[in-house]
Amino acid sequence: DMSDPKDQVIAVEFQADGVYLRLADGRVVGNPLWWHPWLEAATPEQRAKVEMYELSVYFPDLDDGLDVEEMM
């Protein structure tokens, strides 16, 4: 198992222009929301329901997710 606790996503933050994933070691990875049209079009309720994992998050109501390495 190559899991590393510092790679755990601990928060997902939305701002007007983007989405940001905060990792346990303090890193923040973000993209403009328009890079992820499915997420840009989501309701606040859909965005709020999120499962956080190491290096990824998943939005069950949207059946899609974000990968930290792809976002970098």
Side-chain angles (χ1 to χ4, degrees):
D1 188 4
M2 299 293 292
S3 66
D4 194 331
K6 74 181 187 340
D7 293 330
Q8 175 69 38
V9 178
I10 59 167
V12 180
E13 298 166 4
F14 290 95
Q15 295 178 8
D17 62 333
V19 56
Y20 302 87
L21 304 184
R22 185 173 303 278
L23 305 186
D25 67 356
R27 286 177 294 165
V28 177
V29 179
N31 287 156
L33 262 178
W34 60 267
W35 284 17
H36 310 286
W38 59 272
L39 195 53
E40 188 176 34
T43 67
E45 293 78 17
Q46 290 171 319
R47 291 179 182 180
K49 189 171 181 184
V50 60
E51 299 169 2
M52 290 177 257
Y53 302 99
E54 288 170 20
L55 294 177
S56 68
V57 296
Y58 179 68
F59 298 87
D61 290 352
L62 301 168
D63 194 31
D64 211 337
L66 297 171
D67 182 279
V68 170
E69 292 176 330
E70 288 175 8
M71 290 176 70
M72 288 189 196

